[in-house]
Amino acid sequence: MSSTLVALLLLAQSVDPLAEAQRAFDELQFERALTLTPPPANWSGFSREEVVHALTLRALCLASVKRDDEARLAFRQLLALEPGWQLPDQFGPRVRTLVLEAKDAVSRGGRLSLAVESGAVVIGGDAFGLAQSVAMSWRMAGETKSVKAPVANRIEPPWSSSEPVDVWLTLLGPADSVLLEWGTAAAPKHLAPAVVASTPGPAQTPTRLSTFGIAGIIAAGVGVAALGSGVFALTQADQPRAALAAATRDAEGRITSLTQREAFLLDARANGAWQAAGVLLVAGGVALAAGVTLFLIGPVTVSASPSGASLMVPFDADFAVGALR
């Protein structure tokens, strides 16, 4: 009978390695409970719930025996893993202060998290040394594979993102104990193929006239106006010439229908109009040519290089200009 009872007790302890430590803690035997609580190095095979239980016993026992520095770290690890954990009512202000300090540290570092975001495995928050590695498992086309990687904030996935895949992740702590799970083998997370976003073309920049272009338009306008005025002056020059040609003349060719003064005035008007027309036409031609030249060289750019310069003209042609010395 006694041997059967011992066997049952041993079996119970093997099923729940924290049961004896919990009994000692409930009896306020904190030193003994701390000794019976498996240290992190012995957490092999621990589930997430067992890790939380072990951290709870360890933190409370350490605080109870006034090993505050160790208790502070244990509380931080516990709250990073289980932010909703609450301190039992029987503990006094000193322990509550340690818990409040730990909560503040966790709120600044962020709670521990595990997920796949934007195609990558992302581990968030501060584990305060608790997280050791991440096991990544995936099933694709009926084949299951697994790899383990060191903890990092962002890990490139080992599976192909171009095909549908079932994924489950496990964040591992000391001795490969389970801290967090994202999906399971029985209920994996299904990831659809990544959609490749099309690369937008370069934005079309509105064409803006340069200073040369604006000056060219103004000069060309002045040239066209001058040419128009010159043509008008030519038409005006023909009128006095026509009047002189139509005047009555005597047998010796002298004008008799106009006085000498009138004839001289008509001739002067004709010569003045011709001279003005000539000046306007020449000036208009020069201004128009200058305007066209300025408008064309406005977009021209010259870029220097160690061996020469590249000249860009509006007709999209490149010309090599001799070496710059």
Side-chain angles (χ1 to χ4, degrees):
M1 180 67 179
S2 59
S3 60
T4 303
L5 181 60
V6 171
L8 290 174
L9 290 174
L10 291 175
L11 179 62
Q13 290 181 3
S14 63
V15 172
D16 185 0
L18 299 169
E20 188 64 25
Q22 183 65 52
R23 279 193 292 270
F25 178 83
D26 293 340
E27 295 171 0
L28 306 182
Q29 299 177 18
F30 300 121
E31 287 283 5
R32 183 168 180 270
L34 185 59
T35 302
L36 292 172
T37 301
N42 295 340
W43 287 357
S44 178
F46 270 30
S47 65
R48 182 179 186 277
E49 291 73 19
E50 289 173 326
V51 170
V52 171
H53 191 181
L55 281 173
T56 300
L57 288 173
R58 180 172 176 80
L60 293 176
C61 289
L62 287 168
S64 298
V65 298
K66 298 185 179 180
R67 291 164 60 176
D68 289 353
D69 289 340
E70 296 173 84
R72 190 176 287 110
L73 175 60
F75 278 128
R76 290 180 179 182
Q77 293 174 337
L78 172 61
L79 290 166
L81 192 57
E82 193 71 23
W85 180 86
Q86 296 294 326
L87 180 69
D89 294 336
Q90 65 265 31
F91 288 89
R94 185 180 61 82
V95 179
R96 292 189 179 279
T97 300
L98 293 176
V99 173
L100 289 175
E101 290 175 354
K103 284 185 176 181
D104 180 65
V106 171
S107 67
R108 285 185 280 108
R111 68 168 297 175
L112 200 57
S113 64
L114 175 66
V116 173
E117 298 176 4
S118 302
V121 176
V122 177
I123 301 172
D126 191 343
F128 301 98
L130 192 63
Q132 305 292 315
S133 61
V134 57
M136 298 177 285
S137 303
W138 69 99
R139 187 182 299 121
M140 184 180 294
E143 184 179 4
T144 301
K145 295 182 179 180
S146 296
V147 296
K148 187 187 292 186
V151 167
N153 294 121
R154 185 180 180 87
I155 304 172
E156 291 302 318
W159 57 82
S160 172
S161 60
S162 61
E163 301 178 38
V165 60
D166 292 330
V167 176
W168 59 100
L169 311 172
T170 306
L171 186 61
L172 302 174
D176 285 349
S177 54
V178 176
L179 302 182
L180 290 177
E181 289 182 308
W182 191 79
T184 63
K189 301 283 189 179
H190 182 74
L191 301 180
V195 178
V196 180
S198 59
T199 304
Q204 297 295 324
T205 304
T207 303
R208 297 181 180 178
L209 292 175
S210 65
T211 304
F212 283 110
I214 295 173
I217 291 176
I218 295 174
V222 172
V224 170
L227 287 173
S229 299
V231 172
F232 179 75
L234 284 176
T235 61
Q236 294 299 310
D238 286 339
Q239 293 177 5
R241 292 290 187 186
L244 287 172
T248 304
R249 299 174 185 272
D250 59 15
E252 296 180 359
R254 292 191 295 266
I255 297 174
T256 58
S257 60
L258 298 172
T259 64
Q260 187 177 13
R261 183 174 179 277
E262 291 174 337
F264 277 126
L265 287 175
L266 287 173
D267 186 63
R269 282 177 55 193
N271 288 332
W274 275 104
Q275 290 175 1
V279 171
L280 288 171
L281 289 174
V282 171
V286 171
L288 181 60
V292 172
T293 302
L294 289 170
F295 185 80
L296 290 178
I297 69 172
V300 172
T301 57
V302 179
S303 57
S305 65
S307 59
S310 175
L311 175 66
M312 298 297 296
V313 299
F315 307 107
D316 293 334
D318 286 349
F319 296 90
V321 180
L324 298 177
R325 300 296 182 185

